[in-house]
Amino acid sequence: MKGAQLGFTECAINWMMYTIDQDPAPLLYVQKTIETVEKFSKQRFQPSVEVCERVRDKMGTENTSTDRGSTIRIKNFPGGIVILGGANSAASLRSMPIERLILDEEDSYDADIDEEGSPSDLAIRRTANFPRRKIFRLSTPKIRETSKIEPLYEEGDQRRYYVPCPHCGHMQVIWWRNIKYEKAENGEPKNIRLVCEKCKADIPERFKTQLLERGEWRAEFPGREVVSFHISSLYSPIGFFSWRDAVKMWLKSNRDFDRTLLKVFVNTVLAETWTESQKTIETVGLMARREEYVYEVPAGALVLTAGVDVQEALIAVEVVAWGKGQESWSLEYTTIMGDTELSFVWEQLAQFLQKQWKHENGTPLGIAVTAIDSGHRARVVYNFCRMREFLRVFPVKGRFGWGIGLIKRPKQRNQDGVYLFLAHVDELKSKVYSQLTIEQPGPGFCHFPVKPDYNEDYFKGLTAERLVTRRSHGQHILQWELPAGRRNEPLDCRAYSIAALNILNPNFDLLDTVGPLQVRNRPMERRRPRVLSRGL
């Protein structure tokens, strides 16, 4: 259980090369996807082989005959084989038995692949025929409720790396709580140091090399069968990730109220899990937050996006204005009733998306990007978006899962001729709830207007879902659950509006200097053919 960029994948590579050179055996190395493991093969593993003469002579290179039979994901050598597999492909985790197994970044694996169960379990079952099997499981932790590496660490002997105080010799873990600093007048951190738990002396980072050289692993529960380790990025050697980097990341996440950055800090720097459960918002508190806008679009707003939720009998749409730090102002929420197979509801939506809202500086602003849910009426949505792509109207399709970002950009058009963006709804809804918990205007804060559509039903819909933990295929999964009888269109619209903002990915610092993004969406017109000459 580790922080990011501490060299543990390099440890895995060394074990693979040791296996090839000193102790041949079948070995399987697994990463999150087939694509990432192929990139690993080309950029990490094969270059390591090229520069290690003993391994190169036994396995060969991609250009020598001794490598005959090897591929990007299968490496043959005398007496054994190295297989590189993806946790998203059950086929790459089956077939031949293996004696050694490496599961890299296990917390990023899906809970179930191809309806065959956990990818980790599939891979581990391949080691059953070897009584001296060895399994190396390493990962930066992610979400507590679904983490695989945290329970594994807790089941083991729980080793942490203790370092000696250069002043009194007391052995201690480098905890974040013992990293101290002051702020300079410009807000930058200064005098960053580790404070000894015993003698309270300051230990500047220049002592880190000495600390690491004289440190040792100590187990919390000696004698347990599984050996487990925890180490944070605060141990990163001098020249890599520093205590100053950690403090600056911490200060930025708190200054901007950026819970996403704070989550990254907890996961990748402290090597601790982040909890997503128990997120509930009181509707009454949000209604009391409503305010009278002096202008349609307040001064801090710099760009407008729209999120559209499509159901069988209605279309819900919300327009949101965004400012620096993703501070937001809800502008308008409306529902268009009618069978969404029929054209008249889509004509009304098209007219709504052409609207403009007046900014406080007098500029009329249009919607910069619109994201439309294609989960219902996919072909109808595709047709609508295809004709309005020049207006930056894009279809999005919801995908479940954690730790995979907010959206996935398409590399090409789908078979219906549109760019279909994947919206990771679990992460998007979590971001909505995180922003709703911010109570002071500023980065991440959500403003709501005093308007008829922003009534109790709207706020009940915005806070309708709750996070629950379920067990599926032997794994804990975290899901958003909609209680029976509740409507959640406002929540979906807000999530898709955030997706639209990420599709646009505006430079808020630049817009803050030059002014809000002006978009004048012209109505669709039938283009007249160009006349090249009187004869054509």
Side-chain angles (χ1 to χ4, degrees), residues 1 87 103 105-112 118-121 137-155 273 402 474-477:
M1 188 172 175
L103 299 172
E105 293 301 340
E106 195 172 353
D107 263 19
S108 64
Y109 297 176
D110 292 334
D112 178 42
S118 161
S120 299
D121 291 342
R137 308 174 78 163
L138 62 151
S139 184
T140 301
K142 291 191 175 180
I143 299 171
R144 179 174 302 165
E145 291 79 7
T146 60
S147 177
K148 304 173 185 64
I149 197 68
E150 186 175 61
L152 290 171
Y153 169 73
E154 292 175 346
E155 290 170 7
T273 52
W402 296 92
Q475 301 288 326
H476 287 290
I477 60 174

Side-chain angles (χ1 to χ4, degrees), residues 339-352:
D339 186 349
T340 50
E341 285 281 8
L342 304 179
S343 61
F344 78 94
V345 293
W346 293 97
E347 291 171 0
Q348 293 181 55
L349 175 62
Q351 292 175 8
F352 180 84

